[in-house]
Amino acid sequence: MIALFTLLGLAVGSFLNLCIDRLPRDESIITPPSHCQACGHRLGFFDLIPVFSYIWLRGRCRYCGTALPKRLPIVELSSACIFGLLCWNYGLHPELWMSLIYASILLVIFVIDIEHGLILDKVIYPSMVVALILSTFWIGASGWPDVGVLSALLGGVACFALMLIPYLAYPEGMGRGDVKLAAFGGLATGFPLGIIALLVGVVGGGIVALALLVTRVRG
């Protein structure tokens, strides 16, 4: 079963790559069918096999030879690993499906933020709605935080407020997308776990930023 979910993760990762490519360009994720961004040629079945097509084509478009983003197999493999690990952790329980949804959303947000420095409203707002809807079904689920609608709302508001304060104090140091992402995290995990998750994320991000700064100075 873990192997099946790992393969499912590969397929989902391919779709996530499509979202990562198109959403920042305000393109539909439904139409047109998958095509090369350079020459516009519609991609065939053998061009779209996750990871293997990239390796077989040596990272280039079959039709025009343009180099494909190295991100494509990385996202697909990451999605496969995440899906496999979550299946191993939760088994075939309802919590698995919610964790897969959240993991897919966060992977899209993360990669778009890395590539474009943006947390898109068209991603984060629907994600908030999804988190609020899911909170109505996940009260006391084993292995998952006790998140009801009230807890989700409290978590979302609390995390939004905590990130809004530094944003208003120093807008140049933080984007509005980070504030909205904090609200999404609060909606997903509820109160008070949302605040704990936010603090852990801030501390972890600070450690990574400090390490990068030290490395850059020494370089």
Side-chain angles (χ1 to χ4, degrees):
M1 190 57 65
I2 294 174
L4 289 177
F5 272 84
T6 300
L7 292 176
L8 175 63
L10 278 175
V12 171
S14 180
F15 173 71
L16 298 183
N17 269 319
L18 182 146
C19 295
I20 293 164
D21 282 330
R22 295 190 181 187
L23 290 176
R25 293 195 287 261
D26 290 326
E27 296 177 358
S28 169
I29 61 174
I30 300 175
T31 57
S34 296
H35 58 278
C36 174
Q37 294 294 336
C39 65
H41 196 288
R42 181 171 176 174
L43 302 181
F45 173 79
F46 292 105
D47 302 318
L48 297 172
I49 302 174
V51 178
F52 299 105
S53 290
Y54 186 91
I55 296 173
W56 178 257
L57 297 172
R58 298 182 180 180
R60 294 188 175 276
C61 172
R62 180 194 303 272
Y63 309 100
C64 68
T66 300
L68 302 173
K70 294 182 175 63
R71 174 251 301 161
L72 298 179
I74 294 174
V75 168
E76 290 164 354
L77 287 172
S78 298
S79 179
C81 291
I82 291 170
F83 273 52
L85 287 172
L86 289 175
C87 180
W88 171 77
N89 183 66
Y90 289 109
L92 294 179
H93 295 287
E95 300 94 314
L96 172 63
W97 301 104
M98 184 167 70
S99 63
L100 294 177
I101 291 172
Y102 284 141
S104 299
I105 290 172
L106 290 172
L107 187 55
V108 170
I109 291 174
F110 173 75
V111 177
I112 291 178
D113 191 19
I114 289 293
E115 291 188 351
H116 301 277
L118 297 171
I119 297 177
L120 302 175
D121 287 346
K122 66 180 69 177
V123 177
I124 199 66
Y125 286 145
S127 300
M128 290 180 181
V129 175
V130 169
L132 188 59
I133 292 174
L134 289 178
S135 71
T136 64
F137 300 99
W138 300 95
I139 302 177
S142 60
W144 195 265
D146 184 1
V147 183
V149 176
L150 180 59
S151 176
L153 289 173
L154 287 174
V157 171
C159 291
F160 178 82
L162 284 175
M163 289 295 282
L164 182 63
I165 294 171
Y167 169 74
L168 293 176
Y170 186 60
E172 293 80 6
M174 182 186 304
R176 286 178 293 179
D178 297 310
V179 182
K180 299 169 188 174
L181 181 60
F184 166 65
L187 287 168
T189 54
F191 183 88
L193 288 180
I195 296 177
I196 297 173
L198 178 61
L199 293 177
V200 170
V202 169
V203 172
I207 293 174
V208 172
L210 181 60
L212 292 174
L213 180 62
V214 171
T215 303
R216 181 176 300 177
V217 170
R218 289 182 177 178

